[in-house]
Amino acid sequence: MTRFTALALGIARTDTSMGNSNLHIWLQASRPLTLTAAIIPVVIGVALANAVTSSIRWPLFWLALLGAIFIQIGTNLVNDAKDFERGADTPDRPGPQRVTQAGLLSASSVMRGAWISFALATLCGIPLVIAGGLPIVIIGIASIIAAWAYTGGPWPLGYNGFGEIFVILFFGLVAVGGTYYLQTGAWSAGAFVAGLGIGCLSSVLLAVNNLRDETGDRLIGKKTLVVRFGRAFGIFEIAALSFLPFGLGVYWWMSDRSPAALLPLLSVPLAVIIAKRASRESGIALNKVLKLAAALHASYGLLLSLGLWMSAP
């Protein structure tokens, strides 16, 4: 978010008690460390397209990347405001500070920021729609609606055990497949496999987050999968989602793209560490596991992208 956007929201100020400028607060609210969840799938989709066509339509790449980032920021802002309104974010929450809960911004201001982010994503999407047609219209509208519905609306997905499905679908299959389609004008099994793999690793982030917040979520009736099925299930889920993408490397091997099958294996040790630590730790200690999950997502995604790039004819 820029200072211009903050001023447009009518909330430019300096919180001297916290020592944070308004711009810094908005940067905190946007959760910049989570933006790799939006960036990596687009990079993978372009790398796969290059492996197939040996060419990249760079303007479409940059617009898709910006659009994905703005949707991610909008999702984060809706989550910040709605989790506070629903009582999920309290001073006792073991996760990182949220700006609404901390009183740095009002929920209504954060929601206005979310809608501005979605509007910017829509502007980025106009040239993409011109290039890709109706499928891109559907993807764009569905992505924005789902980003809001994750924690907003009468039946929020994240509060009813559908968070992982949402993440795999939109931060994996849709993001990779849509990017690939923009570049090639076609769909492919490879885009599905790549999207499924990186979507699973995005879901590891959510699963660790939900394992950490299990006690608080249970108290407010937030029915995540770990709340529904218990801590043992949550630990199993984290391990399964961490290792499944490496099994998908068989597809790349059978497709004569051996670099894409082998290079991601370099990140297997991270998956092992995550699975072990998730089974042993709880509460605030899981924040370190969350950072490891982010590192696994980024390293796997970049290594897969490099392997696909090396597989280009």
Side-chain angles (χ1 to χ4, degrees):
M1 301 288 288
T2 65
R3 183 169 292 277
F4 173 81
T5 300
L7 288 169
L9 294 170
I11 52 176
R13 64 181 175 86
T14 300
D15 189 331
T16 55
S17 65
M18 297 297 295
N20 289 330
S21 69
N22 189 67
L23 176 59
H24 178 81
I25 293 169
W26 278 103
L27 287 172
Q28 179 183 339
S30 71
R31 308 181 197 176
L33 294 179
T34 71
L35 298 185
T36 54
I39 294 169
I40 296 295
V42 176
V43 172
I44 292 173
V46 166
L48 178 59
N50 181 70
V52 173
T53 65
S54 296
S55 65
I56 296 175
R57 302 168 72 181
W58 288 107
L60 297 183
F61 165 72
W62 291 113
L63 287 168
L65 189 65
L66 283 174
I69 290 172
F70 283 127
I71 289 176
Q72 174 73 63
I73 291 174
T75 303
N76 290 341
L77 294 176
V78 172
N79 179 259
D80 197 301
K82 293 302 180 182
D83 271 355
F84 172 74
E85 292 178 346
R86 296 178 187 277
D89 285 348
T90 69
D92 297 326
R93 178 178 174 273
Q97 182 188 69
R98 298 293 180 239
V99 299
T100 313
Q101 175 271 318
L104 301 176
L105 294 172
S106 67
S108 59
S109 294
V110 174
M111 282 303 300
R112 284 198 295 271
W115 291 118
I116 288 175
S117 294
F118 293 145
L120 292 172
T122 301
L123 288 176
C124 291
I126 292 174
L128 303 182
V129 168
I130 294 173
L134 182 60
I136 302 303
V137 174
I138 295 172
I139 286 174
I141 293 175
S143 296
I144 291 175
I145 291 175
W148 171 76
Y150 179 70
T151 46
W155 201 78
L157 300 172
Y159 281 70
N160 289 281
F162 286 87
E164 286 84 348
I165 294 176
F166 161 82
V167 169
I168 291 173
L169 181 59
F170 286 97
F171 289 91
L173 299 174
V174 169
V176 174
T179 302
Y180 179 84
Y181 179 84
L182 277 170
Q183 295 289 328
T184 65
W187 307 101
S188 78
F192 178 87
V193 171
L196 179 60
I198 201 63
C200 285
L201 294 182
S202 291
S203 277
V204 173
L205 293 163
L206 177 61
V208 173
N209 187 80
N210 289 343
L211 185 65
R212 180 197 65 202
D213 295 343
E214 177 193 4
T215 300
D217 289 345
R218 194 179 297 277
L219 289 174
I220 65 164
K222 185 176 181 180
K223 299 176 182 177
T224 63
L225 291 182
V226 68
V227 169
R228 287 180 180 272
F229 302 113
R231 179 175 177 81
F233 174 86
I235 294 170
F236 169 79
E237 179 191 17
I238 290 168
L241 291 171
S242 296
F243 288 109
L244 176 62
F246 299 103
L248 296 175
V250 172
Y251 172 85
W252 304 116
W253 186 270
M254 298 297 292
S255 301
D256 293 326
R257 300 193 187 281
S258 56
L262 297 176
L263 283 177
L265 295 177
L266 294 174
S267 57
V268 166
L270 275 174
V272 174
I273 295 171
I274 288 167
K276 286 184 177 180
R277 293 187 63 172
S279 68
R280 298 172 181 171
E281 298 174 359
S282 61
I284 196 169
L286 285 169
N287 286 333
K288 294 181 180 180
V289 181
L290 201 58
K291 293 179 180 179
L292 291 171
L296 173 61
H297 177 273
S299 61
Y300 174 92
L302 292 175
L303 288 167
L304 175 60
S305 298
L306 178 59
L308 290 171
W309 197 276
M310 293 170 61
S311 300

